[in-house]
Amino acid sequence: MSSKRVLITGGAGFLGSHLCKKILDAGDEVLCVDNFSTGRRAHLVPFQDSPNFEFVRHDVSFPLHVEVDEIYNLACPASPIHYQTDPVQTIKTTVIGAMNMLGLAKRTEAKIMQASTSEIYGDPLVHPQTETYLGNVNPIGLRACYDEGKRCAETLFFDYYRQHQVKIKVARIFNTYGPHMHPDDGRVVSNFIVQALRGEQITIYGNGNQTRCFCYVSDLIDGFVRLMSTNVDVTGPFNLGNPVEITMIELAENILKLTGSKSKLVFMPLPQDDPKQRRPNIDKARDGLDWEPKVPLREGLKETIAYFKTLL
């Protein structure tokens, strides 16, 4: 069986770099596209000598003319700090970028997967969240550039599917963590680990009782590949995340134990539109993809802490 040529937009980012490795390890070719707005060159060093790896510096808000068999559209800043820095560019990346990649998929007849997000559910009024839940999103808030951008991208994907028969896949990603996270991305896992390792105060927003569910990166990437390998009539969306729920205080206490840090917890006001709880219902992924997370939080945190120690 001949190898596939796989385009990964945002391939130098946290998730993209892990996906590059997964695809290369399977013997396929990778065309990695990134503009380094949040991606890092260092993530690509392990692949640069591989004959199956090619890198193109490119912004997906402009068209791309290449020949590929599959497209994973991951390009977009994913942490609030990064996507709120230039909200207009965030919308361009999510919406115009999606349209450009869909146009490419239409021309090349490639399968295309959209890395969507649990943020499309907003601050949910239904718990846990199923794929049929339509969400509770503030369209004019500080997070809307990302939330509504991703919602519009999903609309485009399904319109291209209905109108042009493009072979789409949509994954809704819940909180994911692991090596290659950016130390200054403002996400809770990286924040807590970096603060603990530096002996700084652990910053908890709100009262600390708000919940999240954390999926280790290798589990998520396995979900991506399983979704891409499905038949063309399997479009999603699929929730991909770990359904084990934990409060922010519990997460902080776990990280303090694993790092041996003496840092103290401090509480700050909750940011605007920050969800109070988030937990995926993954029944659809279990049934349709034979997928569920395998890595326990404690083991994943150990690996992530070890990675951040090498950075700090």
Side-chain angles (χ1 to χ4, degrees):
M1 182 176 174
S2 61
S3 64
K4 295 174 292 189
R5 183 165 165 81
V6 181
L7 168 61
I8 302 173
T9 72
F14 165 41
L15 299 180
S17 57
H18 285 276
L19 182 59
C20 285
K21 183 178 187 304
K22 181 87 169 177
I23 300 297
L24 288 169
D25 286 349
D28 291 320
E29 297 178 29
V30 168
L31 173 58
C32 171
V33 169
D34 207 298
N35 68 351
F36 294 124
S37 62
T38 57
R40 309 181 81 178
R41 291 180 185 273
H43 294 162
L44 305 181
V45 170
F47 321 130
Q48 61 187 11
D49 294 328
S50 169
N52 285 341
F53 181 78
E54 180 182 353
F55 174 75
V56 174
R57 186 165 184 169
H58 182 78
D59 184 333
V60 296
S61 61
F62 297 93
L64 182 65
H65 303 287
V66 294
E67 300 299 322
V68 292
D69 303 301
E70 294 178 353
I71 303 167
Y72 290 86
N73 186 37
L74 275 59
C76 186
S79 74
I81 284 180
H82 291 152
Y83 67 64
Q84 291 175 22
T85 299
D86 189 346
V88 172
Q89 184 58 42
T90 296
I91 293 175
K92 285 182 178 179
T93 302
T94 52
V95 178
I96 300 175
M99 193 174 295
N100 285 333
M101 291 305 107
L102 285 162
L104 176 61
K106 178 187 173 187
R107 182 180 65 79
T108 60
E109 298 185 354
K111 285 185 182 179
I112 179 169
M113 193 205 84
Q114 167 68 0
S116 191
T117 171
S118 61
E119 297 293 339
I120 66 108
Y121 299 121
D123 189 3
L125 304 177
V126 170
H127 193 74
Q129 294 80 58
T130 65
E131 291 86 352
T132 56
Y133 177 53
L134 301 183
N136 176 41
V137 178
N138 176 3
I140 59 172
L142 295 175
R143 301 168 72 101
C145 59
Y146 185 72
D147 300 359
E148 296 288 26
K150 289 288 192 176
R151 287 166 69 93
C152 183
E154 285 199 18
T155 300
L156 283 166
F157 264 67
F158 279 91
D159 283 339
Y160 266 77
Y161 170 69
R162 287 183 287 256
Q163 187 171 340
H164 301 298
Q165 294 75 55
V166 171
K167 295 173 279 192
I168 68 162
K169 314 286 177 183
V170 176
R172 290 178 178 167
I173 303 167
F174 283 68
N175 292 68
T176 305
Y177 71 102
H180 295 187
M181 293 185 82
H182 196 292
D184 300 317
D185 66 7
R187 300 191 212 192
V188 65
V189 171
S190 50
N191 265 7
F192 285 1
I193 291 175
V194 169
Q195 289 168 342
L197 291 176
R198 288 175 173 165
E200 300 170 351
Q201 293 178 323
I202 304 292
T203 307
I204 295 180
Y205 295 96
N207 61 15
N209 291 319
Q210 65 270 35
T211 64
R212 293 293 186 276
C213 300
F214 297 98
C215 183
Y216 190 63
V217 62
S218 61
D219 283 331
L220 184 80
I221 298 303
D222 179 53
F224 283 0
V225 173
R226 285 173 184 257
L227 175 55
M228 185 64 90
S229 69
T230 56
N231 294 330
V232 292
D233 58 338
V234 179
T235 61
F238 285 93
N239 287 339
L240 295 181
N242 193 320
V244 178
E245 201 168 2
I246 187 173
T247 69
M248 297 303 92
I249 290 177
E250 290 171 327
L251 176 66
E253 290 173 344
N254 278 332
I255 288 172
L256 288 174
K257 288 178 184 175
L258 291 170
T259 58
S261 174
K262 304 300 183 186
S263 296
K264 304 298 182 184
L265 307 184
V266 295
F267 295 85
M268 305 288 286
L270 195 67
Q272 181 189 24
D273 298 327
D274 196 64
K276 310 300 186 299
Q277 54 186 4
R278 186 70 64 66
R279 176 160 66 95
N281 179 311
I282 62 168
D283 289 348
K284 187 174 178 181
R286 283 193 180 107
D287 295 340
L289 307 178
D290 191 26
W291 176 89
E292 63 181 338
K294 300 289 195 299
V295 180
L297 180 63
R298 180 180 175 85
E299 297 308 311
L301 287 176
K302 283 182 180 178
E303 294 294 326
T304 310
I305 289 166
Y307 170 75
F308 276 113
K309 282 182 176 178
T310 66
L311 293 186
L312 301 178

